[in-house]
Amino acid sequence: MSPLQWPHMEAEKPSEEASASAGKVGKPPLPMLALTALGVVFGDLATSPLYSLQTAFGDQGITPQRDNILGLLSLVLWALLLMVTGKYVCFVMRADNDGEGGMMALTALARGAVQRGRRVRWVVVMAGLLGVALFFGDSVITPAISVLSAVEGLHLAAPGLKHYVLPIAVVILIALFVLEKRGSALVGSLFGPVMGLWLLAIAALGVHAIIHHPEVFAAISPQYAVLYLLHNGFRGFASLGAVVLVLTGAEALYADIGHFGARPIRIAWLGLALPALVLNYFGQGALLLDQPQAAGNPFYHMVPHALLYPMIVLAACATVIASQAVISGTYSMVRQGIQLGFLPRARVLHTSSGVEGQIYMPTINVLLLIAVLGAALGFRSAQHLAGAYGIAVSGTMLLTSLLMLVVARCKWKWGLPRLIAFAAVFVVIDAAFVAANTLKIVDGGWFPLALAAVAMLLMTTWWRGRILLQAQIHAEGEKLDEFVARVRADPPPQRVQATAVFLTGDTRWVPQALLHNLRCNQVLHERNLILHVEGLDTPRAGEREACKLERLGGGFWRVEMRFGFAEEPDVPARLAKLGLDPTAEPDKLVYFLGRDEVVPDDKRKMMRWRKALFAYFVRNATPATTYFHIPPRQLVEIGARVEF
């Protein structure tokens, strides 16, 4: 019997023609993918010119005179070339996990690459979770700083509206989150063209300013960056905390390769995004050579007065798109964390029937809205938020580089010279950015660190709690093989002419729901499926690993079902593909689930307050039946009290 078949029936297989046509359907042409990627991938990077240079001159008291301007521009240019183009486009995007990217995917890839050493695997997982936690902090600050920086153009257009900037920004943010459920469906039809228009507009502004001071192109030489750091000493080093802001959103290049592929993203970056950003930054530098007093907001000072209001509107649209893309990325990251077992289950809604990965998570949306509004109202301006922004970005980039070293060594089999060369360039630069941003902890850097600490606490508590809970349940349980042998040897209890599916965390043990049902009701179904659903470190389960069926005898089957972290865990649909016996039609199955009441005890395996937190998660997590798409009418839940 094939492991992918149900006894007595053969699994249905798609015809070769159907498979071939399925492979061709739904993949847009390369230019369309590149245009779509502009809106989804580059929103954060493309809106960085709104606040990056003004932060560089404002935070550390760097005087906007010629050498400093050229030095900062040189740092910006080479940061974009080395870190975005060199590190992410050339190296990190190669580390796709079966086509998927992002910190969760990289963590899973690195964990799988480490073949030996339980402690090393633990360190890899902790580093990945810390990167994910910092990404969550980034996803809170990005909408707040982007929208605030766009609306702050009203300072120049109408100084009397200065006091309305924050209320307008708050209204835009609330509208963004309220419409989030429908907003993700606009990706591809609206976001790409609008972001393309934004990039062309900022490039044109840069060219207009550069025409008056073409000598700004001298900053292409890296000697200006070196001289800037040497001349300004500690202040120059501290200003790296502002330079890193031009890299915000670089992680999106890697995170979104699962939606677009690497080639469209590379084309969009090298063909439009990178040239437009460089021209705009150099245009701001050219403006400052002529008007040093414009350092407080060089971007909007570069805009002709007649175009100021249209540019503010376009900037607001661009920042909303950037924010929406980051929020959608957070949803994807959370779903991956749930599938990999690091986060409690949460409700997931699909907002597009034609675009893979477009999801909406109501609970996460509300939590993000509260945090983003707290950031906007607490810091009140883009410049104040910029101090909090850099440490989340630089920390995530450093952890990405470290995990890349693990993948390069254990999976790609890089030799020591290549590893040292990679670390000497990218790890050293990332570490310098992190060190510079630690100077801003008091000035706001504590905020993303606090968010990351909370996220890290939640993930590690859920991960550790699940392990302890399963161990406690197994300590009071019975091995499945021994149970089946006992049932076959002893006179069987009353049998019901039906098929029962018992969900369990480990198919080696008898599910508690089965034991309780047998003990209390003295009844056993004729056919019993002991089903375990497992998340994989890969995006999608292969045909051979998607479902494994083992006949144990006595009317029992062990079923192991696996879903990748990018898949929808639809258990009934997967069971239907097995080819069920006619007497066990999918809509006639009865699903049994143990709904345990978790009560903290005084044992020292985990601090009691963390146990209480885990118990809260268990009570409030989306039920497994909802998450696995099990029909409520076919569900029987049996509760028990478990102390751990």
Side-chain angles (χ1 to χ4, degrees):
M1 179 181 65
S2 168
L4 292 176
Q5 296 175 4
W6 185 269
H8 313 304
M9 292 284 288
E10 290 188 359
E12 296 181 7
K13 298 180 180 179
S15 65
E16 294 182 4
E17 296 176 357
S19 300
S21 62
K24 296 178 182 178
V25 173
K27 187 174 181 179
L30 184 60
M32 182 59 68
L33 281 174
L35 178 62
T36 305
L38 285 176
V40 179
V41 179
F42 297 103
D44 203 356
L45 272 165
T47 53
S48 295
L50 286 166
Y51 49 81
S52 298
L53 285 188
Q54 74 179 58
T55 303
F57 285 110
D59 281 0
Q60 302 301 326
I62 300 294
T63 305
Q65 49 95 4
R66 184 180 183 278
D67 289 341
N68 288 338
I69 293 170
L70 294 179
L72 273 171
L73 288 180
S74 186
L75 284 173
V76 167
L77 172 65
W78 288 101
L80 290 171
L81 292 178
L82 285 175
M83 303 310 293
V84 181
T85 306
K87 174 182 168 182
Y88 282 94
V89 172
C90 295
F91 287 102
V92 177
M93 289 177 66
R94 292 178 53 207
D96 64 290
N97 193 336
D98 285 349
E100 293 290 329
M103 183 58 74
M104 275 290 184
L106 181 60
T107 301
L109 188 66
R111 181 175 65 174
V114 178
Q115 300 297 327
R116 293 180 299 176
R118 184 177 178 182
R119 185 178 297 275
V120 176
R121 290 168 64 91
W122 182 86
V123 171
V124 167
V125 170
M126 289 299 105
L129 292 184
L130 179 58
V132 172
L134 289 171
F135 174 83
F136 290 150
D138 185 3
S139 64
V140 169
I141 298 176
T142 294
I145 192 173
S146 299
V147 173
L148 276 170
S149 61
V151 180
E152 283 175 355
L154 291 173
H155 288 185
L156 299 179
L161 298 177
K162 179 178 179 180
H163 298 293
Y164 294 95
V165 168
L166 184 59
I168 292 173
V170 168
V171 170
I172 293 175
L173 289 170
I174 292 175
L176 169 65
F177 280 92
V178 169
L179 298 175
E180 181 64 29
K181 182 177 180 179
R182 299 179 180 178
S184 61
L186 297 175
V187 174
S189 61
L190 179 61
F191 285 8
V194 172
M195 192 56 66
L197 177 61
W198 165 258
L199 287 168
L200 291 173
I202 66 173
L205 290 175
V207 170
H208 180 265
I210 291 172
I211 290 174
H212 297 89
H213 287 279
E215 66 270 24
V216 77
F217 281 119
I220 294 175
S221 172
Q223 70 173 349
Y224 283 96
V226 176
L227 292 174
Y228 168 84
L229 293 174
L230 293 176
H231 176 73
N232 288 283
F234 180 78
R235 289 189 305 170
F237 171 76
S239 67
L240 291 178
V243 174
V244 77
L245 297 179
V246 307
L247 306 177
T248 58
E251 284 286 330
L253 275 73
Y254 176 49
D256 285 309
I257 58 176
H259 294 157
F260 303 100
R263 191 180 177 194
I265 293 175
R266 288 182 176 127
I267 290 174
W269 170 248
L270 297 173
L272 178 57
L274 176 60
L277 289 172
V278 171
L279 286 173
N280 189 265
Y281 285 124
F282 274 54
Q284 292 187 45
L287 173 74
L288 293 177
L289 289 176
D290 187 51
Q291 303 177 37
Q293 69 276 10
N297 197 330
F299 179 87
Y300 278 116
H301 276 91
M302 195 168 47
V303 181
H305 188 76
L307 299 177
L308 198 52
Y309 283 109
M311 200 62 193
I312 292 172
V313 173
L314 182 58
C317 293
T319 54
V320 166
I321 291 173
S323 302
Q324 198 281 330
V326 169
I327 295 166
S328 296
T330 304
Y331 298 154
S332 297
M333 188 78 74
V334 170
R335 187 177 72 164
Q336 291 180 11
I338 293 171
Q339 293 284 75
L340 292 171
F342 296 125
L343 288 169
R345 293 180 300 271
R347 189 182 179 197
V348 179
L349 302 177
H350 290 264
T351 60
S352 175
S353 59
V355 181
E356 182 183 358
Q358 293 302 313
I359 59 175
Y360 169 72
M361 306 184 73
T363 302
I364 304 303
N365 193 62
V366 171
L367 293 176
L368 271 179
L369 173 59
I370 294 172
V372 169
L373 290 180
L377 295 172
F379 288 90
R380 305 185 69 82
S381 74
Q383 187 167 353
H384 292 155
L385 265 172
Y389 201 11
I391 197 164
V393 176
S394 57
T396 304
M397 293 175 63
L398 175 60
L399 290 167
T400 296
S401 295
L402 295 176
L403 290 175
M404 274 292 299
L405 288 175
V406 175
V407 172
R409 179 61 175 173
C410 299
K411 187 176 180 64
W412 297 344
K413 307 302 180 183
W414 278 14
L416 195 58
R418 294 181 69 182
L419 290 174
I420 293 175
F422 182 91
V425 177
F426 300 118
V427 175
V428 168
I429 294 175
D430 286 332
F433 281 139
V434 171
N437 276 283
T438 56
L439 302 174
K440 298 183 179 182
I441 291 179
V442 177
D443 297 327
W446 59 268
F447 182 67
L449 293 180
L451 293 175
V454 172
M456 193 72 176
L457 173 65
L458 299 183
M459 290 187 288
T460 55
T461 298
W462 178 256
W463 184 38
R464 178 63 176 163
R466 287 177 67 247
I467 295 174
L468 294 178
L469 180 61
Q470 287 297 321
Q472 183 64 30
I473 291 175
H474 295 161
E476 301 172 356
E478 183 177 356
K479 288 290 186 68
L480 180 59
D481 292 337
E482 298 173 359
F483 175 81
V484 172
R486 180 166 59 84
V487 168
R488 297 180 69 179
D490 296 340
Q494 181 180 351
R495 293 272 188 165
V496 177
Q497 297 295 319
T499 299
V501 181
F502 293 91
L503 277 77
T504 179
D506 192 335
T507 55
R508 296 174 301 174
W509 298 83
V510 184
Q512 293 295 308
L514 193 158
L515 292 176
H516 291 316
N517 186 49
L518 183 59
R519 184 183 303 118
C520 299
N521 299 324
Q522 297 295 311
V523 65
L524 193 65
H525 288 73
E526 184 180 17
R527 294 173 297 276
N528 300 274
L529 276 66
I530 312 302
L531 173 63
H532 170 60
V533 180
E534 180 182 357
L536 296 175
D537 285 350
T538 54
R540 280 161 286 276
E543 183 179 356
R544 293 184 176 275
E545 62 184 349
C547 196
K548 180 181 178 182
L549 184 64
E550 179 185 356
R551 187 168 187 169
L552 304 177
F556 285 87
W557 284 265
R558 180 186 283 120
V559 183
E560 296 181 6
M561 197 173 290
R562 297 178 177 88
F563 293 91
F565 57 73
E567 289 185 288
E568 186 71 15
D570 193 331
V571 168
R574 182 69 62 82
L575 283 175
K577 290 181 179 179
L578 290 175
L580 297 178
D581 185 87
T583 61
E585 298 175 4
D587 59 351
K588 299 294 179 62
L589 296 176
V590 180
Y591 294 85
F592 285 83
L593 178 66
R595 193 168 182 84
D596 301 318
E597 179 187 358
V598 179
V599 180
D601 59 19
D602 293 324
K603 296 178 181 179
R604 282 293 186 182
K605 295 181 179 179
M606 181 189 286
M607 287 183 283
R608 187 176 178 85
W609 66 268
R610 292 188 70 189
K611 290 184 178 182
L613 180 61
F614 175 74
Y616 174 82
F617 288 158
V618 172
R619 290 193 303 271
N620 292 277
T622 298
T625 51
T626 301
Y627 190 73
F628 294 138
H629 299 275
I630 295 173
R633 295 182 179 180
Q634 298 173 236
L635 172 67
V636 176
E637 291 185 314
I638 300 178
R641 184 183 178 94
V642 180
E643 294 185 354
F644 85 111

